[in-house]
Structure formats: structure tokens, C-alpha cells
Amino acid sequence: PGYTGRDGLPCSLCAAGTYKGESGSQECTKCASRPSSTIPGSTSEDDCKCMPGYELLGAECSACRKGFFKLETGNGMCHLCPADTIKEYVGPGNCSWRFYDCPGDAELGPVVSQPRGVSTSYDNLGVVKRLA
């Protein structure tokens, strides 16, 4: 289990994203829930986990919607971006702070001015990093 190869030849580990639960020369099976990951040499479909930016919906890994994120590999759900942050695309990625400099953008969120020479990043876990 976890290996594949032709009879009489050396065996090799099943590649990441595949698994094999029985002995023999059969090919390793690709994870059905895509995009997903396993460690090389996986022996069970239970080892197939959704990649960061994807959640398990039914039997498939689906991309996180706009405004949602997931940083870890696993079959958990995507999380809503925290207040005053946004992710404007589907799939993997981080939520970003919203900064609005134009008064006309006020309906989109609060007007926040960023001091010159200061960069702010947010790691989706509640940690704010300010770099001068």
C-alpha cells in the first residue's frame, strides 16, 4: 500500500495527490476531491485534503468565495474575512486591509489614511504587522 510499480521492477511511492490502499502493481488513484493534496505514499482516500483556499463541499474541494479565506490544508470550511478587510477574488489568498483615500469611496467602507512610509499587513489570524 502507498507504492506502485510494475511486477519485477522497483516500486515507487504514490505521488502527492494520489493514494493506494492495496498491494500489487496497480496504479495509484488520484484524489477525487480536487484540488487536493496528500503526502507521498498515502494509503487511503481519507488522506486526500483540500488545499489552502478550498473547502470541502459534498465530495469536492471548492474554491473559497470572494470575501472568504482558508490558510491551511484540510477539509474545513473557508472563513469570512475579518471586519475592514476584503478578498475580491475566488480561490486561495489572504484578506487585505481596506484603505480608501477618496471621499466618494466612503460607501465601500471607512475612510482610513495610511501614514507615509508605513506598510500594514494582516495575516488572517488577527495579527497586524506594521513595517516602517
Side-chain angles (χ1 to χ4, degrees):
Y3 288 84
T4 188
R6 292 192 205 167
D7 289 337
L9 296 175
C11 295
S12 58
L13 280 172
C14 290
T18 66
Y19 65 93
K20 184 174 164 210
E22 65 279 341
S23 297
S25 59
Q26 305 92 333
E27 294 289 319
C28 299
T29 303
K30 290 182 180 181
C31 292
S33 54
R34 296 206 169 261
S36 59
S37 174
T38 61
I39 58 169
S42 291
T43 60
S44 169
E45 186 174 17
D46 292 339
D47 295 334
C48 297
K49 306 291 182 200
C50 296
M51 299 291 286
Y54 295 84
E55 62 186 345
L56 189 64
L57 296 177
E60 293 292 317
C61 293
S62 296
C64 292
R65 296 168 286 156
K66 290 180 181 182
F68 288 79
F69 71 97
K70 182 173 155 256
L71 300 177
E72 67 281 345
T73 298
N75 292 335
M77 301 296 290
C78 297
H79 310 283
L80 181 64
C81 288
D84 293 329
T85 66
I86 192 161
K87 187 174 92 95
E88 298 185 299
Y89 52 89
V90 173
N94 294 326
C95 302
S96 302
W97 284 111
R98 294 183 190 193
F99 291 105
Y100 302 104
D101 294 323
C102 301
D105 291 342
E107 69 274 4
L108 300 174
V111 176
V112 178
S113 55
Q114 179 79 350
R116 289 194 190 275
V118 174
S119 172
T120 303
S121 67
Y122 185 77
D123 70 2
N124 296 327
L125 300 175
V127 177
V128 176
K129 300 175 184 173
R130 293 187 81 108
L131 307 170

